[in-house]
Amino acid sequence: MGRGTLRIYLGAAPGVGKTYAMLAEAHRRVERGTDCVVALVEHHDRPRTEVMLHGLEQIPRSEIDYRSAVFTEMDVDAVLERAPAVALVDELAHTNVPGSRNAKRWQDVEELLKAGIDVISTVNIQHLESLGDVVESITGVRQQETVPDEVVRRADQIELVDMSPQALRRRMAHGNIYQPDKMDAALSNYFRPGNLTALRELALLWTADRVDEYLQQYRGEHNIRTTWQARERIVVGLTGGPEGRTLIRRASRMAAKGSGSEILAVYIARSDGLTSASPKELAVQRTLVEDVGGTFHHVIGDDVPAALLEFARGVNATQIVLGSSRRKTWQYIYGPGVGATVARESGPDLDVHIVTHEEVAKGRGLPIARGARLGRARIVSGWLVGVAGPVLLSLLLLSLENGPGLANDVLLFLFLTVAAALLGGLRPALASAAVGTLLLNYWFTPPTHTLTVQDPENFVAIVIFFAVAVAVSSVVDLAARRTHQAARLRAESEILSFLAGSVLRGETALDALLERVRETFAMESVALLERASDVDPWTCAGSVGPAPVARPDDADVDMPVGDNMALALSGRVLPAEDRRVLGAFAAQAAVVVDRRRLVSEADRARRLAEGNRIRTALLAAVSHDLRTPLAGIKAAVSSLRSDDVAWSPEDEAELLEGIEDGADRLDHLVGNLLDMSRLQTGTVTPLIREIDLDEVVPMALGGVPEGSVDLDIPETLPMVAVDPGLLERVVANVVENAVKYSPGGEPIAVAASAHGERVELRVVDRGRGVPDEAKERIFEPFQRYGDAPRGAGVGLGLAVSRGFAEAMGGTLDAEDTPGGGLTMVLTLTAAPGREPDQDRTVLPAEATS
């Protein structure tokens, strides 16, 4: 039996209609006669979704006892025994109750697929494991229930279920997603228009990438090399010259004309030494590419046109943007140029755009950073001209009845020697001089066909020819070497200047520096290794490229930096002249590491300074806020001990009440000060255990007047994993603060609700509220908002509360209350395995888990 197929409805956000679409597909298949069953579907009390279940066979769920409660999960054994053709399994990222057959629902689905059962499932984009950090930065909620990306990518079909944010919010306002009592909280939090728009874009981009993977796989399986213009991809060919910025901006304007267009900038470096571009200019162009939303690629290839076309076809590009050649007219004797070659060989599937710029025909200048070594093609050409050229010239001259004469023959052979020197350097030129001397002697100097010379003048001519050939070859070769050395020094000076500038600018990106080393020297990987002493093992401080080495001894090139640090490069062996520049890079890498350590020490110093500020504020609090209740207590006690006044029972009770109030204020202030001290020193160690909120919250309300709080904590809430003592302190501080700001004795609301694997406790007041710019500042120590009444404390209550909440793995945030006021949202972690009852209406796990 073959493996079943997996079809996934991928939702851009909760409530877009994934489950509804899945059930509609099931009805279509049943109408066609397909054996289709519902293995598990969560309708979340949504009427229209629940109606779609009618007429479909449902497999009973299995019941699992966990922590004195009964939960239901998909009965995998029952589905396998039933063996339908298609099974519907909702919420692929769901975490099963402990004691289930598998820990995650996608593992249950894997079993069904292995048994040959086709599965239709649903998942939201925020539950993909690789997108957890991105979703958290967008929504502020960390997704606890995730599914590995590979599980979704392996699906045979993925269908995006999309809806505009405005339409989704209208659906919610009409009550099609959540009950009315949950609607306001959802609309003002997770389902804000900005959140929904960002999630929608994330889903569209992920699906587009998945489509690209399908396309690349299909093209590879069928060996398709031509470009399919399914999506505009614009490749920008960079030379490292100043015209690159113009090309990138032009490509960006081209991409803006078509939705979904992609820009890929590529720089192709030769593999025989330092690259032929300024690292500083390449760094600027890389930043510009990233700013316009494109990607930068570095490719090694000696044949630039072929490498560029290979890259473009490999990424299924549709357009190539190149700059007009910077070469002068006479420089075209070396060939047609990259632009003309690419345009000629691109074929009908690639459009090549040649863009003009300010550097056209101004000359390419010296081949900076190329080194003194000649290319293989030039060396081969030099040997052909130097050895084969004299032979062909001899055959040509012998074919003439009346030759030009010995003097002209010598000049023609001398011309070939000079050409060999220009092309291949000294050795081909010397070989040309030797071969030319022998040929002149044998064929053209009387007596011919012998190596003897009869006339002394001819002998002198041949000797002078050989001497001049050697001299000219040496001068030409020396000039070429000096030119290349000047080019190398120019390139090295640019690199060193750039490094010096990065030091002055204080750049501390080690990975960027190592990437520049890799690109400059055309290496596969670069690693900066360090160790504490000569006997300690090497550790990697930073690396780029695949498979970096773990020890300097394993590298192709290693550059020591001091006694306990080394820069290790893999890919090829560098010539000795390249190591000077490499040493400068290594020294800069060491500076970056040292600067990073100094920054870390500065952070520690900053924290110490913050601690000193806290201690200063603490002394101010002791000198003022603690003295006030002490003065009241002392005055009341002195009055009671006075023998001059006969206090009535009512007066004595009032004085004793004042003493008790002052002592309570002192206890509260001292407790907050001690708690802040514990938070600052990191000595808060919560004792986490599972407990119900309704056991803790009522106890925390003892310090507020009776009737000042409306409490709503359902008994069906899941248990929370907290430290009960710390939780009580948090709730007490937050509630007392809300009561303090509530106008006219209007009661505040304290309500709890479940959101997947989280439980939220919301404390709502109808006071003046807090502006957005001050919402974070009110959680700082010794900070009080401007309308705080005198004698309201030292401003530690909310700071201590947030510190305790975070110590328990929760969060405490401030939000605006609809209609005016402030809402404090305390988010706690639900105990594992304990879920709310199915008849309770809460935000589903797919929304905020």
Side-chain angles (χ1 to χ4, degrees), residues 3-10 92 106 109-110 113 118-123 128 147-160 206-207 210-211 213-214 217:
R3 178 182 173 87
T5 61
L6 175 61
R7 177 171 183 171
I8 293 179
Y9 286 92
L10 178 66
L92 189 63
W106 64 263
V109 169
E110 280 294 315
L113 294 173
D118 295 343
V119 176
I120 304 177
S121 188
T122 65
V123 70
L128 294 181
V147 58
D149 287 46
E150 185 60 27
V151 173
V152 182
R153 290 184 185 276
R154 286 201 308 263
D156 300 275
Q157 298 180 60
I158 299 177
E159 182 172 334
L160 178 64
W206 192 93
T207 307
R210 179 60 178 140
V211 172
E213 290 178 11
Y214 279 132
Q217 180 182 354

Side-chain angles (χ1 to χ4, degrees), residues 260-272:
S261 298
E262 185 178 355
I263 300 175
L264 301 94
V266 57
Y267 170 71
I268 299 174
R270 301 184 186 272
S271 60
D272 57 351

Side-chain angles (χ1 to χ4, degrees), residues 34 63 98 120 127 141 200 314 414 439 452 504 537 562 569 673 679 749:
T34 304
E63 295 184 350
I120 304 177
H127 292 298
V141 177
R200 188 187 190 197
L414 182 60
L439 292 175
T452 60
L504 294 176
L569 294 79
L673 290 171
L679 289 171

Side-chain angles (χ1 to χ4, degrees), residues 153-490:
R153 290 184 185 276
R154 286 201 308 263
D156 300 275
Q157 298 180 60
I158 299 177
E159 182 172 334
L160 178 64
V161 183
D162 186 26
M163 182 178 290
S164 69
Q166 296 78 9
L168 182 57
R169 287 172 61 86
R170 282 197 301 271
R171 285 194 62 196
M172 183 171 292
H174 293 159
N176 295 333
I177 301 177
Y178 298 141
Q179 297 298 323
D181 58 335
K182 304 299 179 186
M183 190 186 308
D184 291 339
L187 288 173
S188 61
N189 289 282
Y190 195 86
F191 289 85
R192 292 192 294 267
N195 287 3
L196 297 177
T197 302
L199 290 174
R200 188 187 190 197
E201 181 179 13
L202 198 63
L204 291 170
L205 291 175
W206 192 93
T207 307
D209 289 340
R210 179 60 178 140
V211 172
D212 287 341
E213 290 178 11
Y214 279 132
L215 183 60
Q216 295 294 347
Q217 180 182 354
Y218 181 85
R219 285 165 53 86
E221 291 174 352
H222 293 78
N223 196 26
I224 298 173
R225 302 299 298 163
T226 58
T227 299
W228 287 1
Q229 299 185 4
R231 178 180 180 182
E232 290 291 341
R233 282 191 176 85
I234 304 173
V235 171
V236 184
L238 301 178
T239 65
E243 78 280 1
R245 307 183 196 182
T246 302
L247 303 184
I248 294 169
R249 295 189 180 98
R250 182 69 181 93
S252 176
R253 293 194 296 272
M254 294 168 58
K257 296 178 180 179
S259 178
S261 298
E262 185 178 355
I263 300 175
L264 301 94
V266 57
Y267 170 71
I268 299 174
R270 301 184 186 272
S271 60
D272 57 351
L274 293 171
T275 60
S276 59
S278 167
K280 181 178 179 180
E281 183 62 32
L282 276 180
V284 172
Q285 294 176 14
R286 179 197 291 269
T287 302
L288 180 59
V289 169
E290 295 172 350
D291 289 343
V292 300
T295 57
F296 184 90
H297 303 268
H298 185 274
V299 177
I300 306 298
D302 291 324
D303 189 344
V304 175
L308 181 60
L309 288 171
E310 182 69 20
F311 175 83
R313 292 192 175 104
V315 298
N316 197 28
T318 58
Q319 302 180 60
I320 297 179
V321 176
L322 298 174
S324 296
S325 178
R326 287 183 284 138
R327 294 189 296 178
K328 293 183 180 295
T329 303
W330 65 268
Q331 290 176 313
Y332 280 95
I333 62 175
Y334 297 116
V338 173
T341 305
V342 170
R344 184 181 67 247
E345 299 180 0
S346 61
D349 54 344
L350 270 172
D351 296 334
V352 180
H353 304 266
I354 305 296
V355 179
T356 58
H357 50 83
E358 296 180 353
E359 303 296 323
V360 172
K362 290 186 177 180
R364 299 185 58 139
L366 295 174
I368 43 179
R370 283 279 304 162
R373 296 174 299 280
L374 298 173
R376 179 179 299 177
R378 287 189 58 181
I379 293 176
V380 172
S381 300
W383 280 102
L384 289 176
V385 172
V387 177
V391 175
L392 296 176
L393 179 60
S394 299
L395 295 175
L396 176 63
L397 294 175
L398 290 173
S399 66
L400 300 176
E401 293 184 0
N402 296 317
L406 182 60
N408 291 326
D409 293 341
V410 169
L411 292 177
L412 291 174
F413 277 96
L414 182 60
F415 171 76
L416 291 178
T417 302
V418 174
L422 290 173
L423 289 174
L426 181 61
R427 291 181 180 179
L430 293 177
S432 178
V435 173
T437 300
L438 292 175
L439 292 175
L440 280 171
N441 189 359
Y442 189 83
W443 293 106
F444 303 102
T445 304
T448 59
H449 303 94
T450 66
L451 294 179
T452 60
V453 181
Q454 182 177 2
D455 190 345
E457 294 181 358
N458 293 338
F459 177 77
V460 172
I462 292 175
V463 170
I464 292 176
F465 161 75
F466 183 78
V468 171
V470 172
V472 170
S473 301
S474 299
V475 171
V476 171
D477 182 73
L478 181 62
R481 290 180 181 275
R482 291 291 183 265
T483 300
H484 285 295
Q485 288 174 2
R488 170 173 290 280
L489 292 175
R490 176 184 172 185

Side-chain angles (χ1 to χ4, degrees), residues 66 94 101 207 280 416 433 539 546 661 669 674 692 797 815 846:
Y66 181 71
H94 172 75
R101 183 190 189 95
T207 307
K280 181 178 179 180
L416 291 178
T539 60
D661 290 342
L669 290 173
L674 292 177
D692 285 317
E815 300 177 355
E846 63 182 22

Side-chain angles (χ1 to χ4, degrees), residues 474-521:
S474 299
V475 171
V476 171
D477 182 73
L478 181 62
R481 290 180 181 275
R482 291 291 183 265
T483 300
H484 285 295
Q485 288 174 2
R488 170 173 290 280
L489 292 175
R490 176 184 172 185
E492 290 181 0
S493 65
E494 285 189 1
I495 293 172
L496 295 176
S497 174
F498 175 77
L499 288 176
S502 65
V503 172
L504 294 176
R505 291 190 298 270
E507 296 180 359
T508 58
L510 180 60
D511 290 344
L513 179 63
L514 297 181
E515 180 65 27
R516 188 163 290 115
V517 173
R518 189 179 74 89
E519 293 180 357
T520 300
F521 296 98

Side-chain angles (χ1 to χ4, degrees), residues 636 639-640 645-659:
S639 299
L640 288 174
V645 180
W647 302 101
S648 65
E650 293 79 7
D651 293 335
E652 289 183 356
E654 185 177 351
L655 291 173
L656 290 174
E657 184 179 358
I659 294 173

